[in-house]
Amino acid sequence: MEAIKNDPETSQLIRDLWHQQQKEKRAFFENRDTGAHEDVELLHLEKRQTASGCMTHPLKDFLPTNITGLKKFPEAAYPYQDPKPSDQRGPCPGLNTLANHGYIKRSGIVTVAETIAASAKVFNMGADLAAFLAGGSVVFAGDIPSMVYSIGGADARTNSLGVVGGSLGTETGLSGHLRFKEGDASGTRCDFYLCNGDNHNLNPSIFADFRDSARTVGGGQYNVRAITQHFANNYKRSRDTNPYFYFFPPQAALTTGAEYFHAGFFSNGTIGAGGVANEASIASFNGAKFDSNGGVSYMPEQIPPQGWYRRGYPMFLTEGIQGIITLYVGAAARLGQPLLFGANTGTPGSFTGSFSLAQFGGSGDYGGTTVKGVACALEGAVYGNFISEFNGILNAGAAALRALEVPFAQYGCPVPSGAPAVMATAPTYPGYPKPQPCKLNKMQNGYSQCAPDTNTYASFNTAKVPFCLNSPTTAAPGSNPLPVPGLA
């Protein structure tokens, strides 16, 4: 990425972090089976026993089986604070959590470099995955010259070019519909066209479905099996009710991958290696609060105050893509519908133009549902979106896109020349992403995706009250597995 290449601090950060994380991953797998496991600590046990000192939640608790060498949170140097009305919060619970604890600016107006560093520090996100997500956020929804973006809605604080920057009409913040990471059929947010433009607050009914999937399919955990069922439910709901449902990559793939992050990053401990996707952890990171009847409301996201252990090795881009493949294949099987990509034509349930993940990946060495196939097709889809947005607007457009090439170099992808051929019909659908949305092209429902809205909450947890400890048991081996196609 030319912007990153020309920023020596960010370039060096990515290089150093990448090499450090490779060592951490090797060390984790070399030492994980030594047999020297620490006893799992019941943090703040006395505070979690009664409803008067803790928040209730419906599902039972599971304890991780191995926390050896894992970093424990929260940290005293980064206390949770309620966000102020002027602070930007948006559709990504992980970034909201980082801002609420001060790992990134509490204002929610952040740089690529601080996002990469904080995501690694708290969630053990791999440098390649973090660079792709943060780089795409600034390219499609932020200020390219300064590499600053809003984790919520549009905000004048991200514009370094004044009138010139405003004329581009692209600084929507992460809440901008279909700009990069936001999309339909989200695991925790409502579709832009279904909730009067509110695609950024936690949606209680959607999270309640997630809880129900954990209960019925996940064995009480918010694991990959539960996430797959939840994704299938959300996909069908959106396609059946949203007249402008749009589910083309890259946004559809990124939205799917973000669903995997709940188990991959928010589990207490290491997914696939003794960690648990327990409700107390997942709900805290999502800002979900339960009433006595199991109803859900929204409060600011925070690191579980009862204590939480970060995964033991980084999640690199490859694992994120494996999450996309696993959830797509599993949901397609549950729905009996292999062709999930496509769009509605302006009325609910008018789905057409469909193609599969395997078709998206293409044929040959990079085809099918292989990691390489999906990675290279995803790079092509991002490239196609960039050219359609900026060609003729920015003289340095193609150069800026190189920021997103760095994470894909490891797969040996062909140089992208545009979106994969199966996406040729995408611009013909009414839900297709609007270019320059802050300047032109209001959305079909009349709402602006460039409004300066930030998240609103039903309540706050200023006192950092933990979730109650519900009949805790040690998790069974294999109860929180890594993503493997066919698992669910």
Side-chain angles (χ1 to χ4, degrees):
M1 171 184 251
E2 205 60 28
I4 287 180
K5 290 177 182 176
N6 292 334
D7 181 349
E9 179 184 354
T10 303
S11 297
Q12 191 63 46
L13 167 67
I14 294 171
R15 284 194 296 269
D16 291 348
L17 186 59
W18 172 264
H19 293 301
Q20 172 191 327
Q21 289 179 328
Q22 293 293 333
K23 293 179 182 178
E24 289 177 3
K25 183 174 182 178
R26 286 193 296 270
F28 177 85
F29 285 102
E30 287 171 359
N31 299 326
R32 64 176 290 196
D33 295 322
T34 61
H37 292 180
E38 295 179 12
D39 291 332
V40 173
E41 178 183 7
L42 300 185
L43 296 169
H44 303 296
L45 179 60
E46 72 287 351
K47 294 182 180 179
R48 299 186 63 194
Q49 290 297 324
T50 62
S52 60
C54 58
M55 294 189 296
T56 60
H57 63 104
L59 302 187
K60 66 176 295 183
D61 269 304
F62 293 92
L63 304 176
T65 58
N66 185 8
I67 57 172
T68 303
L70 302 188
K71 186 172 181 178
K72 184 168 64 177
F73 292 84
E75 297 180 295
Y78 298 92
Y80 165 83
Q81 293 179 12
D82 294 332
K84 299 175 183 176
S86 61
D87 292 340
Q88 287 289 352
R89 299 294 184 267
C92 177
L95 288 175
N96 293 344
T97 300
L98 293 178
N100 290 339
H101 282 268
Y103 287 98
I104 57 178
K105 292 184 183 68
R106 294 183 186 271
S107 66
I109 307 300
V110 302
T111 68
V112 169
E114 69 180 298
T115 305
I116 293 171
S119 298
K121 180 179 179 64
V122 177
F123 296 119
N124 223 340
M125 182 180 287
D128 57 346
L129 177 57
F132 172 54
L133 295 178
S137 297
V138 79
V139 166
F140 289 103
D143 186 65
I144 295 174
S146 65
M147 294 183 32
V148 170
Y149 65 98
S150 165
I151 68 171
D155 195 299
R157 289 173 288 181
T158 68
N159 184 358
S160 68
L161 298 178
V163 175
V164 175
S167 69
L168 295 178
T170 57
E171 295 186 22
T172 64
L174 292 190
S175 296
H177 182 47
L178 297 175
R179 296 302 298 163
F180 184 58
K181 293 192 290 186
E182 188 278 345
D184 293 333
S186 162
T188 59
R189 267 63 180 171
C190 188
D191 291 3
F192 183 86
Y193 288 115
L194 291 181
C195 292
N196 298 325
D198 182 6
N199 59 349
H200 47 92
N201 287 296
L202 176 77
N203 183 275
S205 63
I206 293 177
F207 194 85
D209 180 85
F210 196 3
R211 175 205 58 211
D212 293 344
S213 296
R215 176 188 288 123
T216 59
V217 178
Q221 292 194 53
Y222 292 64
N223 54 24
V224 171
R225 295 184 181 91
I227 294 170
T228 301
Q229 181 63 58
H230 179 52
F231 169 49
N233 296 345
N234 278 338
Y235 174 88
K236 186 177 187 306
R237 172 191 51 80
S238 291
R239 198 175 80 175
D240 290 349
T241 58
N242 182 351
Y244 304 110
F245 176 69
Y246 181 89
F247 203 73
F248 280 89
Q251 297 90 346
L254 292 172
T255 301
T256 305
E259 294 212 33
Y260 167 62
F261 290 174
H262 288 91
F265 284 127
F266 299 163
S267 287
N268 187 13
T270 308
I271 183 174
V276 291
N278 61 315
E279 184 168 72
S281 295
I282 305 301
S284 186
F285 279 115
N286 278 281
K289 182 179 180 180
F290 304 95
D291 62 28
S292 58
N293 296 317
V296 178
S297 61
Y298 185 32
M299 61 184 181
E301 300 88 343
Q302 66 176 292
I303 295 170
Q306 64 269 15
W308 173 80
Y309 290 90
R310 187 187 73 174
R311 58 181 287 155
Y313 67 93
M315 181 198 297
F316 293 110
L317 182 57
T318 290
E319 184 182 331
I321 292 174
Q322 287 169 337
I324 293 171
I325 295 171
T326 299
L327 266 61
Y328 183 101
V329 171
R334 289 176 185 273
L335 294 169
Q337 165 85 47
L339 310 180
L340 299 185
F341 292 136
N344 284 345
T345 59
T347 57
S350 57
F351 188 74
T352 186
S354 53
F355 58 94
S356 69
L357 184 64
Q359 290 169 318
F360 173 62
S363 59
D365 293 340
Y366 298 98
T369 51
T370 64
V371 168
K372 281 188 176 181
V374 174
C376 296
L378 184 58
E379 182 185 19
V382 171
Y383 182 87
N385 271 18
F386 184 89
I387 295 303
S388 90
E389 178 82 56
F390 292 110
N391 192 30
I393 299 176
L394 292 178
N395 293 331
L401 183 63
R402 289 175 196 154
L404 300 179
E405 294 176 1
V406 175
F408 294 96
Q410 61 191 297
Y411 303 110
C413 301
V415 176
S417 57
V422 290
M423 293 182 57
T425 62
T428 67
Y429 293 96
Y432 183 71
K434 308 301 181 194
Q436 296 182 273
C438 298
K439 180 183 178 185
L440 310 167
N441 302 309
K442 273 200 169 182
M443 311 304 281
Q444 282 88 338
N445 58 1
Y447 287 89
S448 170
Q449 60 169 309
C450 300
D453 297 337
T454 186
N455 291 5
T456 56
Y457 307 97
S459 63
F460 291 85
N461 187 17
T462 309
K464 297 175 277 231
V465 178
F467 279 103
C468 298
L469 195 66
N470 290 352
S471 306
T473 59
T474 301
S479 63
N480 187 27
L482 283 161
V484 178
L487 169 71

